[in-house]
Amino acid sequence: MSDKLIIFDTTLRDGEQSPGASMTRDEKVRIAKALERLRVDVIEAGFPSASPGDFDAVQAVARAVKESAVCALARALDKDIDRAGEALKEANRARIHAFIATSPIHMQRKLRMEPDQVIEYAVKAVKRARQYTDDVEFSPEDAGRSEEDFLCRILEAVIDVGATTLNIPDTVGYSVPEQFGRTIRRLRERIPNSDKAVFSVHCHNDLGLAVANSLSAVMNGARQIECTINGLGERAGNAALEEIVMAVKTRKDVFPCRVDIDTREIVACSKLVSNITGFPVQPNKAIVGANAFAHESGIHQDGVLKSRETYEIMSAEDVGWTTNRMVLGKHSGRNAFRTRMQELGIEFGSEKELNDAFQHFKDLADKKHEIFDEDLQALITEAGVEAEDERVKLVALKVCSETGETPSARVTLKVENEEMTGTAKGGGVVDASLKAIESLVHTESTLSLYSVNSITTGTDAQGEVTVRLEKGGRIVNGQGADTDIVIASAKAYINAVNKLLAPRQRMHPQVAGDV
């Protein structure tokens, strides 16, 4: 049994299934490059059959990534396998991940298939995937509620035809550590050819046990973990990559394996994913939360000052809390800007794109003294947001707030190239601004989330605002950043409005089934 633990990141696929977390092709490429700098072993880039947009994104990631393997998800259907193979054609290292449901409830009520038919489809899918790549992964969807005897039959069959990785997903987050670890051990013991494949796990966090279940599986022979940055994912999310990696690295005395991740890139990658998806990281989140290495208690502070190891089991620097600090300013030139962007994995397709981004940088530098890496990431995301704002754009915003008076806002928008002005009053200037915007766009949606986070420190820091709008079962997130939090709020709301007004571009993979 190898002592190498393969880290399989599915932020771009399962992470994107978080309501409102859809990413553009360029955003997926940015995250993929960050994951490559993190030295992730496998990047699951998406589900090519879900939509043309998903196909394009997987293809773009396959072209951009050179070191990590790039993986595409596919149902056990010829058309899905072929689509995945086509999307991965230009990848240096390609993997196809095929899946089919194996639990009685899924086979009977969703697939309407007999067990033997399911095995037939699985075997056929792996054989077809092998025509495109030697690296084929197979997942029995809802394995946590599948019968063990049937799992042994189907897994033995797919190994025989060339599956090199067997992923055991806890699709609905139902498992508990002792039981899940025992399942992995028993499958490895009972399947005659189990030594010919790597056992993997994909755990959901519905009971808050995704990381614990994954690590229990490692202790019982699993040598790949599927996880996401910040634990992003549908429902309560997935196992958090940063927690898995640091647990294995910190407790070398317990875990019989190693990871090859460059942990100094963890915080930067976490902030990038948070910035692009609009899902903020809670302050007390392990490893990447703002309070992860903060000490409030006087006893703790005293101990840390005397000897760091008294209360810190790992170093903040080891996960990148100080290594991603980069200062640019209003006197920084175009070349310094371009160089730092390249170091952050951001490249421009043309001189015009570079010039536009550099102008945004100069505008920001006039508002705040120091520009950090986080500001640069937010700046590029903001530029992407503006590029998407085809129907509604913010032209001007004026607000008034005075003690004893009702706050008011006056907003001018360009809607379908026609300027319109609206006014509104509200409980505060943000409330008034959003009401004024709504009075012009008439989305009749529900604002279900309004979140404000500081991108960096200091009173001149950019505020990053995330809003979530819901209408007719559709959920979209909008993002905006500015040193003025009211303007950032307006930008975020308009970004969400444009997403609502745009036609739905993709069918999320969970519509057809998921692992």
Side-chain angles (χ1 to χ4, degrees), residues 417-448:
N417 293 318
E418 179 184 347
E419 284 198 5
M420 307 169 65
T421 299
T423 60
K425 294 185 176 182
V429 288
V430 170
D431 183 39
S433 299
L434 303 192
K435 285 179 177 176
I437 294 170
E438 182 62 26
S439 72
L440 298 175
V441 295
H442 306 291
T443 65
E444 298 180 357
S445 57
T446 300
L447 178 64
S448 60

Side-chain angles (χ1 to χ4, degrees), residues 277-294:
T277 62
F279 280 64
V281 176
Q282 66 193 63
N284 61 333
K285 169 77 169 65
I287 316 301
V288 294
N291 292 347
F293 294 89

Side-chain angles (χ1 to χ4, degrees), residues 279-483:
F279 280 64
V281 176
Q282 66 193 63
N284 61 333
K285 169 77 169 65
I287 316 301
V288 294
N291 292 347
F293 294 89
H295 299 275
E296 177 72 19
S297 163
I299 295 175
H300 284 208
Q301 291 172 345
D302 180 65
V304 169
L305 288 173
K306 291 176 178 175
S307 178
R308 186 177 216 165
E309 292 75 17
T310 53
Y311 287 101
E312 288 190 359
I313 60 173
M314 55 192 145
S315 164
E317 291 80 8
D318 286 347
V319 297
W321 270 109
T322 57
T323 56
N324 70 328
R325 181 180 176 88
M326 174 67 188
V327 181
L328 294 175
K330 64 189 300 182
H331 299 298
S332 298
R334 189 167 171 273
N335 189 50
F337 173 76
R338 190 214 307 256
T339 300
R340 187 55 192 158
M341 285 301 196
Q342 289 174 340
E343 291 170 354
L344 292 173
I346 300 169
E347 297 178 0
F348 300 98
S350 65
E351 285 297 305
K352 182 180 184 306
E353 287 184 15
L354 170 62
N355 292 335
D356 289 346
F358 184 62
Q359 185 57 54
H360 280 284
F361 163 74
K362 284 294 190 180
D363 291 343
L364 180 60
D366 284 335
K367 298 177 182 178
K368 66 191 305 268
H369 180 60
E370 296 178 325
I371 309 294
F372 301 105
D373 287 354
E374 296 92 334
D375 292 309
L376 297 177
Q377 297 282 15
L379 183 150
I380 295 302
T381 299
E382 183 80 359
V385 164
E386 289 184 3
E388 293 171 4
D389 285 354
E390 298 174 351
R391 300 185 65 177
V392 182
K393 291 185 178 181
L394 177 65
V395 176
L397 175 63
K398 180 180 180 180
V399 296
C400 180
S401 180
E402 183 179 350
T403 304
E405 299 293 331
T406 302
S408 62
R410 176 186 175 89
V411 63
T412 300
L413 305 178
K414 182 174 284 188
V415 182
E416 304 285 9
N417 293 318
E418 179 184 347
E419 284 198 5
M420 307 169 65
T421 299
T423 60
K425 294 185 176 182
V429 288
V430 170
D431 183 39
S433 299
L434 303 192
K435 285 179 177 176
I437 294 170
E438 182 62 26
S439 72
L440 298 175
V441 295
H442 306 291
T443 65
E444 298 180 357
S445 57
T446 300
L447 178 64
S448 60
L449 173 71
Y450 175 81
S451 173
V452 181
N453 289 279
S454 175
I455 293 177
T456 55
T457 58
T459 56
D460 65 347
Q462 287 194 91
E464 184 178 54
V465 175
T466 300
V467 302
R468 178 174 296 167
L469 299 183
E470 297 185 26
K471 181 180 181 181
R474 188 176 180 190
I475 300 173
V476 297
N477 281 352
Q479 298 157 258
D482 199 276
T483 53

